[in-house]
């Protein structure tokens, strides 16, 4: 059956490709053609629509007072945008797009400042038209297409659209920011169809995270009316489908989009269904963006620097920050520490006492290690990172300790990773110059007050728990001793002897050696060590409530307090 399906696919593609020459003329509809001199003003609700009314061209408001000159699905409630002319520079109310008398399509802002125009055409433009395919065209008197939006895609391809060599889609920065983002989908000059991560600052290509492996053979990517997206050779034969799902029976809207998260998705929407329904994902690549984007030398990985990525439904990445870090700008912008870093001057040894390590299982930040320690115990790895002012995190796996400085990259959740991440944090969050919290004296004062209250509440709650624990511990031990003391008596000790509190406690521990006692003592040790942090004379060393809770829950190892004897003086 496989050869038959392959042959049928070749036949279908041959038919579609054979019919393509008919698409180089514009669909004529005299009442839909846009005459020279026509214009649209932003916020006027005026549009140029296709004959069926399925697509519209005009201005779409993407944020308050900011408009894109765009094409969208006009019969759907969410008016999904498929193309825009000014994605990097939205225009204000009063901006205008005009089809000039010489056939040039031009965009001006409200001050009549020129912003964009279609590239020069060879021939005389007679009219413009918005076609039912979603293609905006400038055509001659003979309906020959002289310019079309399909030749200049933004982040989306539609059925009947072709991606030629060196053509590309660029993701947006976020779902609400349509500017060029971090990812690119392109058919390279060598014929390989690839997904690439890139630098927003320099536009440098950082890594190829998916490839069709068609070097020297790929020629065009064709999105046909059957819903198939196929890479073809120069002679028109099928080289490989982009996805394995094949044609889709029924009436559907289709679009192929490179989403802001770097995943290429084929979306479908029933034409007859409620227009308010959401698009559904039919196929996508890569299957796991968290694992696919691995930037070994530069770049922050799928979610950006200092963050970690976990995969959700439909290949969507969830980007999170470790304890002590906050999102830089949401989405894929990474995280930044919210505490003052470990000092690397003559006081670095003393400052080291202010830090602890938060452990996270199945989380890894591969590559870019500045130091590797082999065949060491976990405690050695922990102490090495805590005492090293350059160490921001350490990955402990298979008796290896991989230390990383800021910023760390390629963070990801991996259930198959047996190691753990040890993330360095300052026990009391001494905030950095985070613009969200220190923009004014009032906000800074509020932050200081909030931090102080958090410390007081955390420590007060801990001291209450500690006193309660001592009470319960005493009752449990007393009851246990009443049962066991008659059976176990240390040599030379009379039952009627009186003991000091210290001696009695030692005797209890000697007599009661069960697992429950050891567990209680371990919990008591955690409570006491955390309490000692709370009563430090230096207020900057006292942990806030969130840190206290992590310590008590056992999700982080409680570091040795700077002055443990302070508790017993």
């Amino acid at each position: 059956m496989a050869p038959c399906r392959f042959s049928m696919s070749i036949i279908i593609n041959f038919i579609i490709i054979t019919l393509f020459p008919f698409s180089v003329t514009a669909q004529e509809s005299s009442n839909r053609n846009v005459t020279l001199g026509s214009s649209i003003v932003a916020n006027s609700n005026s549009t140029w629509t296709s004959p069926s009314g399925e697509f519209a061209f005009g201005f779409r408001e993407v944020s308050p007072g900011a408009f894109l000159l765009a094409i969208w699905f006009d019969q759907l409630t969410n008016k999904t945008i498929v193309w825009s002319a000014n994605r990097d520079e939205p225009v204000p109310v009063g901006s205008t797009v005009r089809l000039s008398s010489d056939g040039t399509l031009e965009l001006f802002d409200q001050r009549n400042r020129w912003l964009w125009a279609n590239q020069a055409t060879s021939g005389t433009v007679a009219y413009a038209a918005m076609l039912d395919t979603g293609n905006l065209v400038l055509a001659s008197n003979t309906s020959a297409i002289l310019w079309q939006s399909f030749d200049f895609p933004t982040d989306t391809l539609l059925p009947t659209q072709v991606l030629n060599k060196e053509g590309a889609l660029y993701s947006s920065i976020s779902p609400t920011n349509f500017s060029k983002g971090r990812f690119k989908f392109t058919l390279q000059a060598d014929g390989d169809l690839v997904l690439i991560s890139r630098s927003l600052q320099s536009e440098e290509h950082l890594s190829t995270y998916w490839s069709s492996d068609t070097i020297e053979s790929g020629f065009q990517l064709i999105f046909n009316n059957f819903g198939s997206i196929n890479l073809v050779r120069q002679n028109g034969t099928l080289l490989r489908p982009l996805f394995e799902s094949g044609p889709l029976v029924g009436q559907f809207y289709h679009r192929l989009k490179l989403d802001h998260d770097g995943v290429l998705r084929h979306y479908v929407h029933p034409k007859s269904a409620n227009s308010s329904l959401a698009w559904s994902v039919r196929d996508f690549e890569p299957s796991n963006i968290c694992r696919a984007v691995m930037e070994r030398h530069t770049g922050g990985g799928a979610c950006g620097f200092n963050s970690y990525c976990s995969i959700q439904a439909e290949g969507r990445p969830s980007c999170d920050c470790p304890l002590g870090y906050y999102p830089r700008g949401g989405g894929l912008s990474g995280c930044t520490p919210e505490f003052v870093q470990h000092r690397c001057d003559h006081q670095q040894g003393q400052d080291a006492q202010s830090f602890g390590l938060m452990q996270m299982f199945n989380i890894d930040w591969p590559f870019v290690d500045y130091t590797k320690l082999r065949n060491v115990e976990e405690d050695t790895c922990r102490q090495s990172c805590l005492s090293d002012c350059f160490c921001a995190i350490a990955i402990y796996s298979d008796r290896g300790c991989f230390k990383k400085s800021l910023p760390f990259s390629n963070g990801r959740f991996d259930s198959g990773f047996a190691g753990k991440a040890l993330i360095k944090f300052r026990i009391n969050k001494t905030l950095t110059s985070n613009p969200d919290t220190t923009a004014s004296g009032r906000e800074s004062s509020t932050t200081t007050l909030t931090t102080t209250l958090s410390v007081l509440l955390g420590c007060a709650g801990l001291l209450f728990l500690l006193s309660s624990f001592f009470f319960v511990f005493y009752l449990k031990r007393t009851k246990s001793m009443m049962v066991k003391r008659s059976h176990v008596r240390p040599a030379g000790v009379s039952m009627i002897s009186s003991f000091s509190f210290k001696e009695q406690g030692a005797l209890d521990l000697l007599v009661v050696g069960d697992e429950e006692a050891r567990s209680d003592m371990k919990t008591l040790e955690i409570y006491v060590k955390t309490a000692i942090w709370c009563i430090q004379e230096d207020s900057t060393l006292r942990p806030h409530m969130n840190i206290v809770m992590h310590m008590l829950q056992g999700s982080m190892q409680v570091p040795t307090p700077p002055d443990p004897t302070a508790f017993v003086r």
Side-chain angles (χ1 to χ4, degrees):
M1 290 299 294
C4 293
R5 287 199 301 269
F6 182 74
S7 300
M8 181 59 68
S9 180
I10 292 178
I11 292 170
I12 290 173
N13 278 279
F14 178 76
I15 292 172
I16 296 299
I17 295 166
T18 303
L19 292 176
F20 251 88
F22 292 95
S23 68
V24 299
T25 58
Q27 303 167 359
E28 288 201 60
S29 179
S30 58
N31 63 336
R32 294 291 185 181
N33 289 348
V34 180
T35 59
L36 301 181
S38 298
S39 63
I40 302 174
V41 178
N43 209 31
S44 66
N45 294 323
S46 177
T47 60
W48 300 342
T49 59
S50 66
S52 68
E54 293 182 345
F55 290 95
F57 169 79
F59 289 98
R60 290 295 302 169
E61 189 171 24
V62 292
S63 63
F67 295 81
L68 289 184
L69 180 60
I71 298 170
W72 61 89
F73 283 94
D74 201 40
Q75 294 184 348
L76 300 183
T77 301
N78 61 8
K79 308 293 183 184
T80 306
I81 292 174
V82 297
W83 180 87
S84 62
N86 60 318
R87 64 184 303 181
D88 294 321
E89 190 176 358
V91 294
V93 172
S95 300
T96 304
V97 60
R98 181 182 305 116
L99 183 61
S100 66
S101 57
D102 65 358
T104 302
L105 192 64
E106 297 178 294
L107 174 63
F108 299 89
D109 67 11
Q110 82 282 18
R111 298 178 180 177
N112 207 35
R113 181 170 60 99
W114 180 91
L115 298 176
W116 174 88
N118 68 290
Q119 295 187 6
T121 57
S122 55
T124 302
V125 173
Y127 64 92
M130 184 70 250
L131 306 185
D132 280 335
T133 57
N135 190 15
L136 176 70
V137 302
L138 302 182
S140 68
N141 281 323
T142 61
S143 297
I145 293 177
L146 304 177
W147 179 91
Q148 58 182 340
S149 60
F150 270 15
D151 287 341
F152 306 93
T154 49
D155 60 7
T156 301
L157 293 181
L158 297 172
T160 74
Q161 193 165 1
V162 176
L163 187 70
N164 294 305
K165 283 188 175 182
E166 300 189 72
L169 305 181
Y170 289 89
S171 68
S172 59
I173 287 180
S174 74
T176 56
N177 184 339
F178 292 82
S179 299
K180 280 186 180 180
R182 292 182 49 212
F183 304 101
K184 179 181 179 180
F185 175 62
T186 183
L187 180 58
Q188 296 180 148
D190 62 7
D192 203 14
L193 191 65
V194 295
L195 285 165
I196 295 170
S197 65
R198 69 190 196 101
S199 167
L200 288 178
Q201 289 74 31
S202 65
E203 299 194 8
E204 173 191 4
H205 289 178
L206 301 179
S207 69
T208 298
Y209 60 94
W210 179 88
S211 169
S212 63
D213 296 322
T214 55
I215 294 176
E216 304 300 333
S217 52
F219 179 68
Q220 284 181 323
L221 184 71
I222 297 176
F223 197 161
N224 65 36
N225 276 320
F226 296 96
S228 295
I229 309 167
N230 299 313
L231 187 60
V232 301
R233 299 182 179 89
Q234 190 166 2
N235 62 8
T237 59
L238 177 67
L239 178 58
R240 58 156 289 176
L242 180 60
F243 304 112
E244 297 295 337
S245 51
L248 182 63
V249 178
Q251 294 294 308
F252 291 87
Y253 293 119
H254 294 263
R255 60 189 175 102
L256 177 71
K257 183 182 180 184
L258 179 59
D259 281 323
H260 77 283
D261 56 18
V263 180
L264 186 71
R265 296 185 178 91
H266 180 184
Y267 290 94
V268 295
H269 191 297
K271 290 187 177 182
S272 59
N274 187 331
S275 63
S276 64
L277 294 177
W279 290 83
S280 60
V281 176
R282 190 169 186 231
D283 299 286
F284 61 91
E285 285 286 359
S287 59
N288 189 329
I289 190 74
C290 299
R291 294 186 61 85
V293 180
M294 288 287 108
E295 296 168 340
R296 292 175 178 266
H297 304 293
T298 57
C303 285
F305 291 112
N306 304 331
S307 63
Y308 64 95
C309 176
S310 55
I311 205 68
Q312 309 296 317
E314 299 173 345
R316 300 186 187 280
S318 174
C319 299
D320 297 288
C321 298
L323 178 71
Y325 291 74
Y326 64 91
R328 287 188 60 216
L332 311 176
S333 301
C335 307
T336 190
E338 57 183 356
F339 55 88
V340 175
Q341 297 302 295
H342 192 163
R343 298 176 62 166
C344 281
D345 56 14
H346 63 283
Q347 295 187 12
Q348 61 176 300
Q350 178 181 346
D351 198 34
Q353 298 176 352
S354 302
F355 289 88
L357 292 174
M358 169 73 173
Q359 63 183 17
M360 300 183 72
F361 295 94
N362 306 120
I363 305 291
D364 191 17
W365 277 272
F367 315 124
V368 199
D369 312 307
Y370 74 87
T371 296
K372 302 176 185 179
L373 305 177
R374 301 288 187 181
N375 197 30
V376 296
E377 298 295 335
E378 182 179 336
D379 283 346
T380 301
C381 183
R382 287 176 174 274
Q383 291 305 316
S384 178
C385 185
L386 284 172
S387 61
D388 185 350
C389 66
F390 293 113
C391 183
I393 63 169
I395 304 298
Y396 186 75
S397 175
D398 195 23
R399 292 183 58 79
C401 182
F402 306 89
K403 298 200 297 183
K404 306 169 190 294
S405 58
L406 288 172
F408 37 96
S409 60
N410 302 311
R412 66 190 188 193
F413 171 82
D414 185 352
S415 59
F417 177 62
K420 64 175 68 173
L422 306 174
I423 302 157
K424 195 173 186 178
F425 68 95
R426 187 175 286 274
I427 294 171
N428 178 45
K429 287 184 183 177
T430 304
L431 296 177
T432 60
S433 55
N434 175 7
D436 295 332
T437 58
T438 60
S440 67
R442 178 177 298 178
E443 291 175 347
S444 180
S445 298
T446 301
T447 300
T448 302
L449 178 60
T450 301
T451 302
T452 302
L453 289 175
S454 179
V455 170
L456 293 175
L457 287 173
C459 291
L462 173 63
L463 293 175
F464 173 77
L465 288 173
L466 186 60
S467 60
S468 301
F469 183 89
F470 269 120
F471 180 71
V472 173
F473 181 78
Y474 175 76
L475 290 179
K476 289 173 65 178
R477 292 304 106 212
T478 301
K479 181 179 180 180
S480 178
M481 285 303 301
M482 290 176 66
V483 174
K484 297 184 178 182
R485 194 167 291 167
S486 61
H487 302 288
V488 181
R489 181 184 305 171
V493 176
S494 170
M495 285 297 295
I496 60 173
S497 299
S498 62
F499 299 94
S500 67
F501 176 80
K502 182 176 181 181
E503 292 168 334
Q504 184 68 60
L507 178 60
D508 285 353
L509 291 178
L510 176 65
V511 173
V512 186
D514 57 12
E515 187 64 32
E516 183 182 8
R518 286 193 294 271
S519 175
D520 285 345
M521 289 306 296
K522 181 64 176 177
T523 304
L524 179 60
E525 178 189 355
I526 293 174
Y527 278 35
V528 170
K529 287 175 68 175
T530 308
I532 294 173
W533 276 110
C534 283
I535 62 173
Q536 291 298 310
E537 292 183 10
D538 184 352
S539 61
T540 64
L541 297 180
R542 300 171 194 160
H544 68 68
M545 186 160 52
N546 187 34
I547 298 295
V548 169
M549 292 307 298
H550 279 288
M551 288 176 171
L552 297 180
Q553 290 168 1
S555 58
M556 67 175 64
Q557 187 179 58
V558 185
T560 302
D563 187 11
T565 60
F567 186 70
V568 294
R569 283 177 182 170

